[in-house]
Amino acid sequence: MAQLRLDARNSVLGPRPSGAVVVPGKPDESTLWQVVAGAGTKPRMPFGGQRLPDESIEIIRQWIEQGASWPEGAGVTVHDAQQHWAYAKPVRPGMPAVRNASWPRNSIDYLVLSRLEKEGLAPSGEAGKETLIRRVSLDTRGLPPSINEIDAFLSDVAPGAYERLVDRMLGAPQYGERWARPWLDLARYADSNGYEKDRSRSIWLYRDWVIGAFNRNMPFDQFTIEQIAGDLLPHATLDQRIATGFHRNTLINDEGGVDAEEFRVAAVLDRVNTTATIWLGSTIGCAQCHNHKYDPFSQEEYYRFFALLNNDKPDIEADAFNVRAENLGPQVEVPTPKQAVEQERLQREVARHTATLEKQTPAMEAAQELWEKGWEKQESAWKAIDATPQDSLDGVKLTALPDKSVIATGRNPDQATYILTAKTDIRGITGIRLEAIPDGSMPNGGSGRAPDGNFILTGFELEVSPVKTQADPKQVVLSAAFADSARHGFEAERVVEATGKTGWSVREDGPRSAVHEAVFLTEVPVGFEGGTRVKFTLKQESPEKQCALGRFRISVTTAQYPGLNLWTSPGSKVRSQEQKMALAKYFRLTTPQLAETRKLRAEARERLQHLDIPTSMVIEAMPEPRESHILIRGNFMTKGTQVSGGFPAVLHKPAKGEAQGRLALARWLVDNENPLVARVTVNRIWEQYFGRGIVETPDDFGTRGDRPANPELLDWLAVEFMEKGWDLKAIHRLILNSATYRQASNVTPQLLERDPYNRLLARGPRFRLEAEFIRDIALTAGGILNSKIGGPSVYPPLPEGILKNSFSSYDVKNLWVNPEAADRYRRGIYTFWRRTEPYPSFLTFDAPRRDVCVVNRSRTNTPLQALVTLNDPAFVEAAAGLGQRMMQEQGTSGERIVYGFRRCVSRKPKQIESLELENLFRKSLGMFQKDPEAAKSLASSSGLKLAANTDYPELASWILVANVLLNLDETITKN
């Protein structure tokens, strides 16, 4: 309550309003000693608790008497920012002198060796060439080397062979895929929204952007800026907008009845915490509800940081009861080059036909005059649709009335969508009429639910499908719309334009008690023999809130000229100029003379709709910034003091004035004055190579995190990273070329006792690989890997029963059935990532669900993992592919075993290993020769293409050998 912190030096030794807590050298004048000893006038502490033991009180007295020495930089005892190592700007250390001066290959090695020599240890010798090429290949490409690559490296005895290998591997296109893998964990990338139904989302283009950025060796500062604020850069490119998908990877709750503001705030909080974790390595999220207990981040500073990320369009553009899967925030269309050409061509075609339909030529005027003379005004034959309203997502209750109209009651949301379905036997539908019917229960007795009794219809969509078949619904193209009454700027044709910003609304000066109607013309007649299923969607998404229809009726007609009763009789002199123009437009949109033009335009529009242009979710700033407040106890409903954007005071100040938004944040992060970002980033890279970071808590560089095992090495790498222009490949090249990295990974009893976790780096790395890479290694060894880079996520086979889990099959269940052979063998990074049900074999090998930012994955060792590599379809098919290749290899069975062994672990087997595998082959062959049907069953179920004269017993035996090879610990381990 008095804001006293006994873990903070300034709080204990600094001046305080109530007097010094500790006066060094003078315990009798120190409040701390007085209250624990009960020696002063203040209540003894702990208040109401048991008195401290005499020996503890005496230790405190002696400590004060001896000068109250406070250890510099000692873990949580140093709360003061300026004294904590992570908050001081890194400075490049000088190179230490070492005794074994022949060992270092670059600066990394001097700093590592200096520490080893202080500990009385020596580095290990260099690993063999087969080990090195496999290690480098896995670290740069996430794939094992081919036998040809191994042989080429072994035969290259010229100086610099290893360095040339490193350069080739870093230049491979698979480099981007390998290094995108850990970044996608950080970015919490997934292909689904994450809550309940866990609908799929389209954001795979962001994943492709990450892969491409790594392959282009985009500097890390630019990599940062484009992901956080690419859309705010001057003349932002489409790629830079796609990059902002980084912060659209948050979870989205699109269930009906949710409070959209609650989940919008939750998404912003996630963006704050993720940004701090990835770039600052800080647990700033602890300050969401109160001042950070251990690190120098206040709650106010947290919400100033929050304010920088709080000014973007929401993921859910709706109020609490109007959430729809198709309306999940900003997206961009990204056509392929081929699609872009076709899109432009079709748009030109539509524009050409539209111009023809809109042009009033003398010939058209003459034809219209003749048409009017021969036409007698009559009511179009309309038939009301007996429609069934669907349950509304926005809390509105829709009820069908006896006159086939529908009335809306219950909640009146800001925006609303009505969906009605029906079946009809009518064929050749040419028009749909929407009647807005006044009702005494509506405001002012009108037909809408707006305060004045009006409404604004922003969208009207019609989907049809045949009753007799299960064909997918087809959206009907509407060519035009007309209404008997409309506000200026709210004409019925704006509904067809479907901008969402305006729509049909009746005149404000007209009587609210009158029935008004709008007629929508279909581009071509609609209906199927045997009956038609019809789905009507009425959207009311105007910025003018609570403007939904109150009571309405839908009718259809097959008349040649539907809706002509909207105007006065032909030739009438009382027509207004507006009516004359509308009638002329109507004539051109219905006359048989232009039927072919209308048909061609409809076909072009339909082809445009079916181009299937990929979209990607992006961040987009609001026109005006939101107000941001401190949220009391982190509760979005309890707003405290208003705050503006800003940064933690313990870190550097922004280069130019006050922070204004995401772009200022991004530039502040990668400012060379920032003490954390370079350290945190090189530490994560180091962890990928050695299994542990120089700081073993990569997500916590605060006072509760671990101190660096080698502070000088960490700071040297951080400064090198910044001075080299944030060049990622330069850092990779340094590490890969170091003698530290090239050490053998053998563990001696001495090293196991002195340094069991290899923190001092007296040996090379050895640890199990990650889930996706284990799968990729198997597919590569089996010769079945599809090496295509980029593209939409794929759906490899799932174990039986996975899709039966609650909601797990929602909206993608058909995509998991019989995936294309090529797609089932794509790299693991492209597997569809469903948050509520991630790919099972990945989960077994410790992949996260990606609900939140994950800095490093755990590594467990369970029997389930062996069951996956023995039985999972991908591994069985990989074993079959490898077995078939071993069988087809020329030579003896021993030579075939060498071939298979090298494909899996990149080295030749030892004699004892060859003998064990040959015995397995012989034993299996004898078994399958006695049971050829079992051999045929195994070979046939593996997905192999088999010749008619296949020797099934031999093939099945090689498949079993291959299965063992893929299950070797060495196969799934980097060593």
Side-chain angles (χ1 to χ4, degrees):
M1 291 171 64
Q3 300 299 307
L4 171 63
R5 297 185 59 118
L6 296 178
D7 64 345
R9 185 179 190 278
N10 285 348
S11 181
V12 175
L13 300 179
R16 295 178 62 83
S18 59
V21 176
V22 169
V23 180
K26 300 178 181 180
D28 291 337
E29 298 178 21
S30 300
T31 304
L32 175 64
W33 185 80
Q34 292 173 6
V35 295
V36 297
T41 59
K42 296 180 180 180
R44 180 179 54 80
M45 296 292 167
F47 188 73
Q50 188 175 357
R51 185 177 186 270
L52 290 180
D54 290 342
E55 57 268 27
S56 297
I57 296 173
E58 178 59 20
I59 288 172
I60 293 172
R61 190 193 66 78
Q62 290 181 13
W63 172 66
I64 297 172
E65 193 172 61
Q66 294 168 9
S69 173
W70 197 284
E72 299 292 333
V76 298
T77 58
V78 184
H79 182 73
D80 308 278
Q82 65 273 20
Q83 294 186 358
H84 185 58
W85 64 268
Y87 303 134
K89 183 181 176 182
V91 176
R92 187 190 292 272
M95 286 298 103
V98 294
R99 292 190 294 275
N100 184 9
S102 63
W103 184 74
R105 292 178 179 273
N106 60 30
S107 298
I108 289 174
D109 300 327
Y110 280 98
L111 294 164
V112 169
L113 182 59
S114 174
R115 178 67 195 280
L116 288 174
E117 290 180 345
K118 286 178 184 176
E119 298 290 334
L121 296 173
S124 299
E126 185 167 298
K129 293 186 79 172
E130 290 169 318
T131 298
L132 284 177
I133 187 173
R134 186 173 192 268
R135 186 186 293 176
V136 171
S137 184
L138 291 172
D139 276 335
T140 56
R141 305 186 302 183
L143 299 171
S146 69
I147 291 177
N148 287 340
E149 288 174 323
I150 297 168
D151 288 340
F153 180 55
L154 293 176
S155 63
D156 187 353
V157 294
Y162 177 82
E163 289 76 8
R164 289 191 295 275
L165 169 72
V166 167
D167 287 342
R168 284 197 304 274
M169 295 291 187
L170 285 175
Q174 294 81 17
Y175 163 84
E177 293 175 314
R178 183 264 176 269
W179 284 95
R181 210 293 310 140
W183 188 262
L184 295 182
D185 277 2
L186 294 169
R188 66 270 193 247
Y189 171 87
D191 295 298
S192 69
N193 291 336
Y195 289 102
E196 199 185 20
K197 288 184 175 66
D198 201 17
R199 302 177 198 265
S200 59
R201 58 172 58 170
S202 179
I203 198 168
W204 58 266
L205 283 156
Y206 166 75
R207 178 185 59 207
D208 281 7
W209 180 89
V210 173
I211 294 170
F214 281 124
N215 277 335
R216 294 190 300 275
N217 197 27
M218 179 182 287
F220 186 75
D221 55 348
Q222 187 68 17
F223 183 73
T224 296
I225 290 169
E226 292 196 9
Q227 290 185 87
I228 293 178
D231 60 311
L232 301 178
L233 292 171
H235 313 295
T237 65
L238 183 58
D239 263 5
Q240 288 169 334
R241 293 196 66 199
I242 291 170
T244 65
F246 169 80
H247 268 326
R248 288 300 308 280
N249 282 319
T250 49
L251 278 68
I252 298 176
N253 194 338
D254 57 355
E255 298 299 319
V258 302
D259 189 322
E261 177 64 7
E262 176 184 3
F263 288 95
R264 187 197 69 79
V265 171
V268 179
L269 293 171
D270 174 77
R271 289 165 188 161
V272 172
N273 300 339
T274 296
T275 302
T277 298
I278 293 176
W279 280 277
L280 303 178
S282 298
T283 57
I284 194 172
C286 295
Q288 179 181 330
C289 303
H290 49 71
N291 291 344
H292 200 297
K293 289 185 67 176
Y294 302 107
D295 292 330
F297 303 121
S298 69
Q299 188 182 25
E300 179 180 344
E301 288 176 324
Y302 180 89
Y303 284 101
R304 293 193 73 197
F305 204 104
F306 175 95
L308 299 172
L309 293 164
N310 192 35
N311 300 318
D312 303 307
K313 292 182 179 178
D315 293 324
I316 302 171
E317 294 183 335
D319 63 33
F321 290 89
N322 191 27
V323 181
R324 292 181 300 283
E326 70 273 14
N327 193 18
L328 297 180
Q331 302 183 54
V332 291
E333 282 193 347
V334 189
T336 64
K338 184 177 179 180
Q339 285 175 326
V341 170
E342 181 66 3
Q343 183 184 42
E344 186 179 355
R345 187 188 70 79
L346 289 171
Q347 287 172 340
R348 287 198 306 267
E349 186 176 337
V350 169
R352 186 174 69 252
H353 296 316
T354 299
T356 300
L357 292 171
E358 291 179 349
K359 188 174 183 181
Q360 182 72 333
T361 64
M364 282 294 104
E365 289 178 355
Q368 179 180 337
E369 186 177 353
L370 186 63
W371 170 68
E372 287 192 45
K373 289 179 180 178
W375 173 72
E376 293 182 3
K377 185 175 181 293
Q378 58 184 357
E379 178 74 20
S380 298
W382 293 102
K383 182 174 181 181
I385 289 289
D386 194 1
T388 302
Q390 288 189 4
D391 290 339
S392 177
L393 291 175
D394 48 39
V396 180
K397 181 175 177 57
L398 298 176
T399 306
L401 300 178
D403 64 353
K404 298 185 180 179
S405 66
V406 174
I407 191 167
T409 57
R411 191 172 179 276
N412 186 15
D414 290 344
Q415 289 87 29
T417 295
Y418 300 163
I419 296 176
L420 301 93
T421 57
K423 290 181 182 178
T424 180
D425 294 327
I426 300 174
R427 295 179 61 195
I429 296 172
T430 56
I432 303 99
R433 181 176 68 183
L434 176 67
E435 295 173 273
I437 303 173
D439 191 275
S441 64
M442 301 299 156
N444 285 338
S447 53
R449 306 189 77 188
D452 63 351
N454 209 336
F455 61 88
I456 303 174
L457 179 74
T458 58
F460 185 81
E461 296 173 1
L462 175 65
E463 290 183 356
V464 295
S465 59
V467 170
K468 286 187 174 181
T469 69
Q470 295 300 315
D472 291 335
K474 181 178 179 182
Q475 187 161 333
V476 174
V477 177
L478 301 175
S479 61
F482 304 93
D484 64 346
S485 172
R487 288 164 56 189
H488 178 67
F490 289 81
E491 295 79 13
E493 62 189 56
R494 296 180 183 271
V495 180
V496 177
E497 294 170 1
T499 64
K501 308 242 182 254
T502 183
W504 177 44
S505 183
V506 298
R507 291 172 64 93
E508 296 165 313
D509 56 356
R512 290 286 174 266
S513 59
V515 176
H516 293 292
E517 60 183 89
V519 174
F520 300 89
L521 308 184
T522 63
E523 193 86 68
V524 294
V526 173
F528 299 97
E529 185 177 354
T532 303
R533 294 188 193 90
V534 189
K535 176 183 174 183
F536 300 97
T537 302
L538 286 70
K539 296 182 177 181
Q540 292 127 129
E541 299 173 340
S542 170
E544 297 182 36
K545 299 177 179 180
Q546 295 185 322
C547 291
L549 278 161
R551 184 178 173 188
F552 59 93
R553 179 168 50 224
I554 297 175
S555 306
V556 298
T557 185
T558 59
Q560 185 177 5
Y561 303 113
L564 271 176
N565 58 298
L566 296 178
W567 298 286
T568 56
S569 59
S572 171
K573 295 181 181 180
V574 297
R575 281 197 197 117
S576 66
Q577 183 62 28
E578 183 181 356
Q579 287 177 318
K580 290 177 182 178
M581 292 174 62
L583 187 59
K585 181 178 179 180
Y586 180 93
F587 171 73
R588 294 193 302 273
L589 289 170
T590 56
T591 177
Q593 296 180 45
L594 293 174
E596 183 64 18
T597 301
R598 291 195 300 274
K599 178 175 175 291
L600 292 173
R601 185 176 70 166
E603 291 172 351
R605 281 176 166 173
E606 186 174 0
R607 289 198 298 274
L608 265 174
Q609 289 177 355
H610 290 87
L611 280 179
D612 293 327
I613 294 174
T615 61
S616 195
M617 297 163 64
V618 297
I619 290 285
E620 193 172 300
M622 297 281 287
E624 297 293 333
R626 287 188 182 87
E627 284 188 1
S628 293
H629 297 260
I630 295 174
L631 302 182
I632 308 301
R633 299 185 65 83
N635 186 343
F636 82 103
M637 298 180 71
T638 312
K639 294 181 179 179
T641 306
Q642 185 174 342
V643 293
S644 59
F647 306 106
V650 68
L651 301 176
H652 64 294
K653 290 185 167 74
K656 295 181 180 179
E658 287 297 314
Q660 296 298 319
R662 284 185 285 112
L663 187 55
L665 167 61
R667 288 173 172 159
W668 175 82
L669 286 172
V670 290
D671 189 317
N672 281 15
E673 294 300 311
N674 192 317
L676 286 169
V677 174
R679 281 187 177 121
V680 170
T681 305
V682 296
N683 187 66
R684 275 201 310 268
I685 293 172
W686 190 269
E687 181 182 29
Q688 286 293 310
Y689 282 112
F690 292 95
R692 292 176 184 274
I694 300 170
V695 176
E696 287 199 57
T697 52
D699 57 345
D700 190 356
F701 274 51
T703 58
R704 280 285 174 127
D706 289 341
R707 290 178 58 78
N710 192 327
E712 294 79 12
L713 174 60
L714 179 66
D715 281 6
W716 188 90
L717 285 168
V719 174
E720 181 75 4
F721 188 34
M722 290 187 286
E723 290 186 354
K724 281 288 190 341
W726 300 88
D727 187 328
L728 287 164
K729 282 193 179 181
I731 293 297
H732 290 306
R733 190 173 288 106
L734 266 171
I735 295 172
L736 290 164
N737 283 323
S738 69
T740 303
Y741 176 81
R742 293 163 68 164
Q743 294 177 95
S745 58
N746 300 329
V747 184
T748 65
Q750 181 194 19
L751 286 178
L752 191 60
E753 180 181 354
R754 293 285 304 279
D755 188 17
Y757 300 111
N758 199 27
R759 292 187 176 101
L760 301 176
L761 302 167
R763 60 184 186 275
R766 187 186 189 282
F767 51 89
R768 197 203 68 213
L769 295 161
E770 296 166 356
E772 297 92 326
F773 297 156
I774 291 172
R775 184 179 190 273
D776 295 346
I777 288 170
L779 297 178
T780 303
I784 58 176
L785 179 73
N786 177 353
S787 58
K788 175 186 174 184
I789 294 177
S793 297
V794 297
Y795 306 84
L798 282 172
E800 185 178 352
I802 292 295
L803 294 179
K804 293 180 181 177
N805 292 345
S806 175
F807 285 125
S808 67
S809 62
Y810 195 88
D811 85 346
V812 294
K813 60 184 177 182
N814 295 328
L815 299 175
W816 291 93
V817 179
N818 298 320
E820 294 182 16
D823 279 352
R824 70 194 288 139
Y825 302 132
R826 295 287 305 280
R827 290 195 69 169
I829 194 173
Y830 300 113
T831 297
F832 187 91
W833 204 283
R834 184 168 217 78
R835 284 183 162 119
T836 55
E837 198 67 63
Y839 198 60
S841 68
F842 292 172
L843 276 186
T844 305
F845 280 102
D846 306 314
R849 293 184 179 275
R850 289 191 179 153
D851 291 346
V852 294
C853 170
V854 175
V855 176
N856 58 348
R857 297 182 180 184
S858 60
R859 289 190 187 93
T860 62
N861 186 4
T862 72
L864 284 177
Q865 293 165 354
L867 291 174
V868 167
T869 52
L870 285 167
N871 300 292
D872 184 272
F875 290 87
V876 172
E877 291 171 12
L882 178 58
Q884 188 178 57
R885 282 161 179 77
M886 292 168 70
M887 180 179 173
Q888 293 169 348
E889 184 72 9
Q890 297 298 316
T892 64
S893 58
E895 290 170 331
R896 292 173 176 176
I897 286 170
V898 170
Y899 170 81
F901 207 92
R902 296 185 79 195
R903 286 186 73 96
C904 292
V905 300
S906 303
R907 66 173 176 85
K908 294 180 180 179
K910 299 172 185 175
Q911 185 178 11
I912 189 171
E913 293 168 330
S914 291
L915 289 174
E916 287 288 345
L917 291 169
E918 185 130 19
N919 288 338
L920 172 63
F921 171 71
R922 299 295 175 197
K923 184 177 179 180
S924 302
L925 183 62
M927 177 184 70
F928 284 125
Q929 285 174 339
K930 293 177 183 177
D931 190 358
E933 286 303 315
K936 186 174 182 179
S937 175
L938 174 59
S940 301
S941 64
S942 62
L944 295 175
K945 293 181 180 179
L946 303 172
N949 61 346
T950 297
D951 185 336
Y952 288 108
E954 183 178 8
L955 177 56
S957 301
W958 285 118
I959 291 174
L960 288 186
V961 173
N963 190 253
V964 169
L965 291 174
L966 292 177
N967 277 274
L968 294 176
D969 176 69
E970 192 172 346
T971 301
I972 65 171
T973 300
K974 182 180 80 172
N975 57 23

